[in-house]
Amino acid sequence: MTYRLVLDATAVAAYAAESIHVGEVLAEAGDEYRPSDPDDGGTGPLVCVPVAAVIAAVLAGADHDRVAVLLGLPHVSAAALLPGDWRRIANGADLLGSLDRACAALDQATGRAGMILTAEPDVYGGLDTIRI
Amino acid sequence: MAPDHRTDQVDERGVLITAEGRRRARAQMDAVANRDPAERERARRDFLARLDATAE
């Protein structure tokens, strides 16, 4: 599965804090979304939110109800850590400073997600990011 | 070019999302998507190499 976007904790927190720009980007991704259909595979969810980003945002004070709204959007999917990624994610967290950044960066670098939605694009070096 | 059907809307949070804001967001996404493929691949490879080098 390839997502258009992956969110890090800053993007989740910004969504919960009523960020207009995050809403604009998610609305654009939502327009591309087509539900699964027996005759046409549809797009599947186009926005990935690593569970690590959800937890980090909530621990930083993001509103639980707003986070639940985000995860309930049809074009958004929460993503658990993949067991096979543990070593790269651990090293990524060490390099980038947090677990949620590591998850977002690994998703983008491996092609599972097209770009990272974040308030901190500079921490991701040359990876593809959208600044919020 | 396909017609632009965007309109101002209030999203699921009750936040006003304007058509103009969405057009700016789309332009930003397209600019990233149209980045030089070689540069993108180099960045991805370099990042993964750093992860795997750290693993050793």
Side-chain angles (χ1 to χ4, degrees):
Chain A
M1 171 171 300
T2 301
Y3 298 100
R4 292 277 283 141
L5 297 164
V6 58
L7 277 58
D8 71 5
T10 65
V12 175
Y15 177 89
E18 301 189 354
S19 162
I20 293 172
H21 190 41
V22 172
E24 292 165 348
V25 174
L26 291 182
E28 286 299 304
D31 266 6
E32 298 175 22
Y33 172 70
R34 298 292 177 269
S36 295
D37 179 285
D39 299 323
D40 172 5
T43 60
L46 292 169
V47 178
C48 171
V49 184
V51 171
V54 173
I55 294 169
V58 167
L59 289 176
D63 181 86
H64 289 210
D65 292 338
R66 285 273 167 73
V67 171
V69 168
L70 172 65
L71 297 178
L73 294 173
H75 58 294
V76 173
S77 177
L81 294 177
L82 298 176
D85 285 341
W86 73 265
R87 193 185 303 272
R88 279 179 158 177
I89 290 177
N91 292 329
D94 189 38
L95 283 169
L96 302 177
S98 71
L99 184 59
D100 68 284
R101 290 174 182 166
C103 291
L106 187 60
D107 280 346
Q108 204 282 320
T110 57
R112 292 197 291 251
M115 53 195 83
I116 303 165
L117 189 62
T118 179
E120 302 170 324
D122 295 343
V123 305
Y124 294 101
L127 298 180
D128 286 348
T129 58
I130 295 282
R131 181 189 293 274
I132 58 172
Chain B
M1 178 181 292
D4 186 346
H5 297 295
R6 294 180 184 87
T7 59
D8 293 356
Q9 65 184 82
V10 176
D11 76 6
E12 63 282 350
R13 301 167 297 170
V15 175
L16 175 64
I17 303 298
T18 66
E20 181 55 32
R22 288 186 54 168
R23 280 191 282 274
R24 283 196 301 269
R26 171 57 58 185
Q28 194 179 10
M29 295 167 73
D30 288 347
V32 174
N34 293 325
R35 182 181 171 200
D36 175 34
E39 185 182 337
R40 170 183 291 115
E41 284 310 306
R42 187 164 51 249
R44 286 180 176 177
R45 279 198 310 270
D46 288 352
F47 178 74
L48 291 173
R50 288 175 67 199
L51 291 189
D52 293 336
T54 307
E56 291 170 359

